[in-house]
Amino acid sequence: MEAFLEIFDIYLLEAVINGILLGGVLALLALGLNLIFGVIDVTWICYAELIMIGMYGMYYLFSVYHMPYWVAAPLCILLVAALGALLHFLVIEPLLSAPPINQLLATGGVLFFLQSFATVVFGIDFRNVGIKLPILAVGEMHFSYARLLAFVAALIGMVAVYVFMKKTYVGTAIRAIAQDRQIMVLMGVDTKRIYLITSAIGGALAGLAACLLVLMYDVHPFIGLSIGPVTFLICVLGGLGNFVGGFVASFLFAEIISLGGLFSDLEWGYVLAFGFFILMMFIRPAGLLARRS
Amino acid sequence: MSLGRNPIAWPIAWAVAAIVLAAVPFVHRDPYHLHILILILIWSFAYTSWSMMGRFGLTSLGHGGFMGVGAYVTALLWNHLGLTPWLGIPIALVCAAILALIVGYPCFRFRITGHYFALVTLALSGIVLQVITATRDWTGGSLGYTPEATKGSQLLAMQSGDKVVWYLGALVVWAFGLVVWTWVDRSMARSAMDAISEDEDAAAAAGVNVTAEKLKITVLSALMTALAGAVYCQYQMFISPDTVSGIGISLQMVFAAVVGGLYVALGPTVGAIITILLAEMLRIGFGTKAVGWDNLIYGALLVAFIIFLPKGILGSILDRLKLRRAPAPTRPAAEPARARSASAASPP
């Protein structure tokens, strides 16, 4: 092991592992968006703003109302799940028969709305929940516990969604609708209800992400603008609605960001990742795992 | 609109409108009002550029990127190489066009449309924003960037403290945008793009070169948006990633164009008037307390408009007028040119 570590640059290894940890969180973000897209055929441009609202929810429950983290987190997840359902009911439902791009633009309006809502109500100050998790030191490498926790929680969240989709009736119906929207109505599935449930699950995943991200980043009304684009890129890179593709793309993206950041600033990691994305659009435009037609 | 059929009436009406608009700064010299008018003209031009693609279903969320390239390349060339904006702007436009080709070609070649296209172009505005922030040693990052005030000729530096000069300049640019819009509206490209937005495969089968047509309109739109960015930079003498690039600006363009009306020439202008006046009124009425309120109202309005008035304010008003004149229209009023050409082409 010692010899291996000497040959292998220790910082490189640290960056690789940090990339994997980041990938877990990104995969969670991508899962929610992919679920909504796969089932309802709608892109929530405001997805990251839901996370932002969830982070504020965590901040208020934890720091202002002094609830323990383990109570605040489920409440926050429920809150964002309700927001997701509300978003579907108020904005998407009336537009289901409109051109798909209108739905995307309408959620763009919601993005503006939520962002300014946060500015007006919470102010533009950066807020921190003030949980300082220790740094884990393995040899000469350093990992933050927050990232580790987020990685594990993201994996648990993803497995929970997987089990739900595979083992329950509603989950089966959701997967069936994702495969064929028209037929399932004839099979007696209430699409309205399924859409609402899916939106709530999508919201819940955003809520879970909020609970985890709040441990790593300060909350401010514009944080969605830094989370959102990466999430969309991952979903497109993996193929919109393709769960496995999104999963693979998350880790690939996270590694590029992490390793790119190793050689220069973190922003250059993002620039590299975006460049990689454009390159992949030439090579695999329908997503990483898409079959070539 | 009783002058609809008269061949002389329209040019006269246009000439009168042009003279009235050009005369404004000489009659009313209030610098604040002129400033608002200049902003409205510049942003109207940007929104018009966006709507040239948007009306054909090419919903780009990357125009913030083109605008950023136009503004930053011009300013960087001026500050670092001392290159006059008269040469810098063409270079910036070429950069934006290359960017549009790089993103547009794979999208159109591989039939990336709808959601996918919107998200891919979203990536573009994200990239431009990140690059501007990451190269903060040159661009000042998120703190913004100021083109150096010239010590020599103001004309050469394309700088001026005179609002009247800027008003007239912005008016010319805005009118140019409308001319291009109308030119595209009456060209073959418009029919081709209409066919493509209805059904790509059918259009391709009918002999339309889908990729080339889409690329043409995208590059044109990107060029104009970059020009808007450069003009904005030269006028404001300050740019930051938040005011000329990124997703916020891209969505703002979409919002204004949709609210005003995507399918009519003056729609984006109406959108710019509404959005800028709303923001200014809130700012004056409530001062710093109004921070965020304008976007709160924009957001709610955008959702309401897409649900209830997808043709926008001007589009819907023109529809009403048309309905009143012709009781049973078979085609939407937003597409008068197509209705005309179709009725001329088909035998009675």
Side-chain angles (χ1 to χ4, degrees):
Chain A
M1 190 69 189
E2 288 292 309
F4 168 75
L5 284 182
E6 264 168 42
I7 299 164
F8 217 63
D9 188 0
I10 194 101
Y11 293 110
L12 190 67
L13 188 62
E14 187 184 69
V16 168
I17 295 175
N18 265 326
I20 293 174
L21 295 184
L22 178 66
V25 183
L26 290 181
L28 179 71
L29 296 177
L31 177 66
L33 207 60
N34 263 334
L35 185 71
I36 304 293
F37 183 84
V39 177
I40 317 181
D41 197 14
V42 164
T43 311
W44 284 1
I45 287 284
C46 59
Y47 188 73
E49 272 60 34
L50 292 182
I51 297 174
M52 181 265 293
I53 296 288
M55 288 169 82
Y56 269 111
M58 273 309 278
Y59 170 76
Y60 275 93
L61 290 176
F62 184 85
S63 297
V64 178
Y65 296 109
H66 301 294
M67 286 185 188
Y69 185 84
W70 305 111
V71 179
L75 271 178
C76 168
I77 293 173
L78 280 181
L79 167 86
V80 186
L83 260 182
L86 194 70
L87 172 70
H88 180 79
F89 184 72
L90 287 181
V91 177
I92 305 296
E93 181 103 8
L95 286 171
L96 272 181
S97 53
I101 207 66
N102 284 14
Q103 301 152 4
L104 186 140
L105 293 182
T107 57
V110 177
L111 181 154
F112 263 128
F113 184 83
L114 290 180
Q115 216 174 66
S116 355
F117 176 79
T119 314
V120 169
V121 177
F122 307 127
I124 52 170
D125 304 330
F126 284 50
R127 316 268 183 156
N128 194 303
V129 284
I131 304 177
K132 282 276 171 285
L133 289 174
I135 302 282
L136 179 69
V138 180
E140 283 170 61
M141 296 180 287
H142 300 279
F143 310 106
S144 83
Y145 258 115
R147 278 201 170 177
L148 211 60
L149 182 71
F151 178 74
V152 173
L155 281 191
I156 292 173
M158 282 184 277
V159 170
V161 170
Y162 179 81
V163 170
F164 173 78
M165 299 285 264
K166 287 278 180 191
K167 300 286 176 196
T168 63
Y169 173 79
V170 175
T172 314
I174 289 177
R175 281 187 296 132
I177 286 194
Q179 280 184 5
D180 195 320
R181 237 167 293 281
Q182 277 89 42
I183 293 293
M184 284 317 288
V185 185
L186 305 176
M187 299 287 178
V189 171
D190 182 0
T191 44
K192 263 192 175 175
R193 203 176 123 249
I194 295 294
Y195 282 176
L196 213 54
I197 292 173
T198 310
S199 301
I201 296 174
L205 287 171
L208 177 61
C211 298
L212 301 172
L213 288 176
V214 90
L215 296 174
M216 295 182 259
Y217 303 105
D218 293 348
V219 198
H220 56 98
F222 304 101
I223 193 163
L225 292 183
S226 46
I227 308 172
V230 181
T231 315
F232 297 127
L233 294 196
I234 288 170
C235 288
V236 174
L237 191 64
L240 273 178
N242 184 335
F243 298 114
V244 186
F247 195 77
V248 175
S250 305
F251 285 97
L252 212 58
F253 232 68
E255 284 302 334
I256 295 174
I257 292 172
S258 189
L259 290 178
L262 181 69
F263 297 114
S264 183
D265 291 336
L266 190 63
E267 279 119 359
W268 280 107
Y270 279 97
V271 173
L272 272 182
F274 286 170
F276 173 73
F277 170 81
I278 298 268
L279 184 74
M280 287 311 285
M281 288 319 291
F282 280 92
I283 302 169
R284 299 210 76 95
L288 278 178
L289 300 183
R291 287 192 197 89
R292 287 225 130 159
S293 57
Chain B
M1 306 236 163
S2 50
L3 49 154
R5 301 278 173 226
N6 194 326
I8 309 173
W10 274 111
I12 291 179
W14 280 117
V16 170
I19 291 169
V20 168
L21 281 175
V24 167
F26 301 104
V27 180
H28 188 82
R29 275 183 165 277
D30 185 275
Y32 171 68
H33 289 163
L34 275 183
H35 171 69
I36 298 297
L37 282 175
I38 294 166
L39 284 186
I40 287 178
L41 287 171
I42 296 176
W43 284 111
S44 297
F45 176 64
Y47 300 156
T48 308
S49 321
W50 184 86
S51 77
M52 299 220 310
M53 291 175 71
R55 61 186 293 219
F56 299 120
L58 290 173
T59 311
S60 157
L61 295 180
H63 272 51
F66 297 133
M67 196 155 179
V69 167
Y72 269 94
V73 170
T74 311
L76 285 170
L77 285 174
W78 169 249
N79 278 9
H80 290 286
L81 299 178
L83 192 67
T84 161
W86 293 104
L87 290 173
I89 290 178
I91 294 175
L93 296 192
V94 170
C95 292
I98 292 172
L99 202 60
L101 283 174
I102 291 176
V103 177
Y105 179 75
C107 284
F108 303 146
R109 175 75 182 69
F110 299 114
R111 298 284 173 81
I112 291 171
T113 54
H115 294 292
Y116 258 88
F117 183 69
L119 291 180
V120 171
T121 49
L122 185 81
L124 174 69
S125 44
I127 293 171
V128 173
L129 185 74
Q130 286 286 352
V131 171
I132 293 173
T133 322
T135 55
R136 60 173 63 82
D137 294 345
W138 298 306
T139 61
S142 45
L143 292 176
Y145 194 62
T146 310
E148 279 160 28
T150 175
K151 294 180 188 71
S153 158
Q154 284 205 329
L155 182 68
L156 197 67
M158 214 189 268
Q159 294 172 356
S160 171
D162 189 358
K163 292 249 187 299
V164 177
V165 173
W166 274 109
Y167 175 83
L168 294 176
L171 192 66
V172 169
V173 169
W174 169 75
F176 167 72
L178 288 185
V179 168
V180 175
W181 198 96
T182 322
W183 173 66
V184 169
D185 192 56
R186 295 186 177 162
S187 68
M188 270 303 285
R190 180 243 161 89
S191 312
M193 286 305 299
D194 266 341
I196 290 170
S197 66
E198 296 268 328
D199 186 335
E200 271 193 25
D201 294 323
V208 175
N209 187 341
V210 175
T211 309
E213 289 295 337
K214 280 183 167 181
L215 268 183
K216 263 195 285 183
I217 201 87
T218 306
V219 168
L220 186 62
S221 175
L223 283 173
M224 286 167 64
T225 313
L227 179 61
V231 172
Y232 177 85
C233 166
Q234 292 303 120
Y235 172 62
Q236 288 285 40
M237 293 295 279
F238 174 75
I239 44 178
S240 75
D242 298 321
T243 51
V244 291
S245 78
I247 300 153
I249 297 298
S250 304
L251 277 174
Q252 187 186 319
M253 290 189 193
V254 180
F255 169 70
V258 168
V259 165
L262 258 184
Y263 308 101
V264 280
L266 284 173
T269 306
V270 171
I273 294 172
I274 292 171
T275 49
I276 292 175
L277 285 189
L278 179 69
E280 281 301 309
M281 267 153 48
L282 285 170
R283 200 171 63 82
I284 292 169
F286 300 95
T288 48
K289 268 183 287 176
V291 171
W293 277 99
D294 51 347
N295 276 334
L296 194 73
I297 298 175
Y298 286 173
L301 274 181
L302 178 57
V303 176
F305 265 94
I306 289 172
I307 295 177
F308 300 111
L309 266 185
K311 280 185 180 167
I313 290 181
L314 193 62
S316 302
I317 292 175
L318 290 182
D319 260 12
R320 284 283 160 79
L321 290 173
K322 193 106 184 186
L323 262 175
R324 212 170 288 163
R325 276 195 292 138
T330 45
R331 285 175 182 279
E335 297 159 328
R338 187 163 69 165
R340 245 193 340 263
S341 60
S343 59
S346 58

